[in-house]
Amino acid sequence: NRDKKRDKEKVKEKEKAKEKERDRDKEKERNWDRDKEKERERDKERNRDKDKEKDQERQKERHKDGERLRDKDRDRDRDKDREKNKEKEKEKDREEVDQNKEKDDVMKEGEKDRDKIKVKEGDKNRGEKEKDKEKEKDEMKEKKEREREKERDDRKKKEKRSRTPPRSYSSSRRSRSSSR
């Protein structure tokens, strides 16, 4: 009987030990599960923090991209404005050149007109000068003509004189002596 009792007690103790062992195992498992759960929570928290950081980075990137786009747009607008201004300047320059050409053309026309007038005046003057020259020539011719006539007259007079018979020697002497 005692053996049976002992055996029963041993069996009970063994069962208790097993029970305790099981309880310990269960506790370990619970602890392990709890630890795992905590680990998971920590991981989740870490992941949330990382996600937040990534979101912030993304937002910063978006912001930077937005700024870059705005800068590009601003630069493009500035370039367009610069181009427009350059075009306006070119147009102004063209207009100025055209105006200068017109002025030059007008001045050239004026010069041509003046030249024409000068030429006409010159022609008139030339005509007058030619007339004056003609008059001078005519006057010279008249003068020469008068001189020739005078010379002719003088020659005729000389010839008349030479036709008259020479005075006698004595008479010529007389005239000489009387003049003395």
Side-chain angles (χ1 to χ4, degrees):
N1 272 337
R2 275 190 196 158
D3 285 340
K4 278 184 183 176
K5 263 188 181 178
R6 236 187 260 143
D7 282 343
K8 274 185 180 177
E9 278 180 30
K10 274 187 182 177
V11 167
K12 274 186 182 177
E13 275 181 31
K14 275 185 183 176
E15 277 182 26
K16 276 184 183 178
K18 277 183 182 176
E19 188 85 22
K20 276 184 181 176
E21 189 69 30
R22 259 186 249 131
D23 284 346
R24 258 189 249 125
D25 283 348
K26 279 182 181 176
E27 189 64 34
K28 274 183 184 176
E29 207 172 299
R30 266 189 241 120
N31 284 341
W32 190 80
D33 283 346
R34 213 179 301 125
D35 287 347
K36 277 289 173 189
E37 191 61 38
K38 282 181 182 175
E39 190 67 31
R40 267 191 230 115
E41 281 299 316
R42 267 189 245 119
D43 284 349
K44 279 182 183 176
E45 195 64 36
R46 253 188 255 121
N47 286 338
R48 270 190 226 117
D49 289 346
K50 281 182 183 176
D51 287 347
K52 278 183 184 176
E53 284 179 22
K54 282 181 183 175
D55 282 347
Q56 285 177 346
E57 285 296 314
R58 278 191 216 111
Q59 281 182 331
K60 282 181 184 176
E61 281 300 312
R62 274 192 226 116
H63 187 71
K64 282 181 184 176
D65 288 347
E67 282 184 4
R68 277 189 217 116
L69 280 174
R70 267 181 260 131
D71 289 348
K72 278 183 183 176
D73 289 345
R74 205 177 307 124
D75 290 346
R76 197 179 313 119
D77 291 346
R78 229 181 274 137
D79 289 346
K80 281 181 183 175
D81 289 346
R82 246 185 248 128
E83 284 298 314
K84 283 180 185 175
N85 288 340
K86 280 182 185 176
E87 282 300 314
K88 284 180 184 175
E89 285 296 317
K90 282 182 183 177
E91 191 61 35
K92 280 183 185 176
D93 289 348
R94 273 189 226 117
E95 286 176 11
E96 220 172 280
V97 166
D98 289 347
Q99 285 176 353
N100 288 341
K101 277 185 181 174
E102 285 178 26
K103 283 181 185 175
D104 288 349
D105 291 347
V106 167
M107 286 175 71
K108 282 179 184 173
E109 282 296 316
E111 284 179 25
K112 283 182 182 176
D113 290 347
R114 270 186 245 118
D115 287 348
K116 283 180 183 175
I117 291 169
K118 281 181 185 175
V119 166
K120 284 181 183 176
E121 286 177 2
D123 286 349
K124 285 180 185 174
N125 288 344
R126 226 178 279 129
E128 288 174 16
K129 282 180 186 175
E130 285 177 17
K131 284 178 187 174
D132 289 347
K133 281 182 184 177
E134 292 276 326
K135 279 183 184 176
E136 279 182 38
K137 280 182 183 177
D138 289 348
E139 286 174 7
M140 290 294 280
K141 280 181 183 177
E142 284 177 21
K143 218 179 199 183
K144 282 182 181 176
E145 195 78 28
R146 271 188 244 123
E147 284 177 18
R148 279 192 211 121
E149 281 179 22
K150 196 177 180 187
E151 282 177 23
R152 257 187 257 129
D153 288 348
D154 287 349
R155 262 190 250 127
K156 282 181 183 175
K157 283 180 185 175
K158 269 188 181 177
E159 280 177 25
K160 274 186 180 177
R161 267 189 233 135
S162 64
R163 275 192 223 131
T164 58
R167 292 185 184 137
S168 64
Y169 176 74
S170 57
S171 63
S172 67
R173 239 176 143 183
R174 246 182 267 131
S175 65
R176 259 191 251 137
S177 63
S178 62
S179 65
R180 280 185 207 153

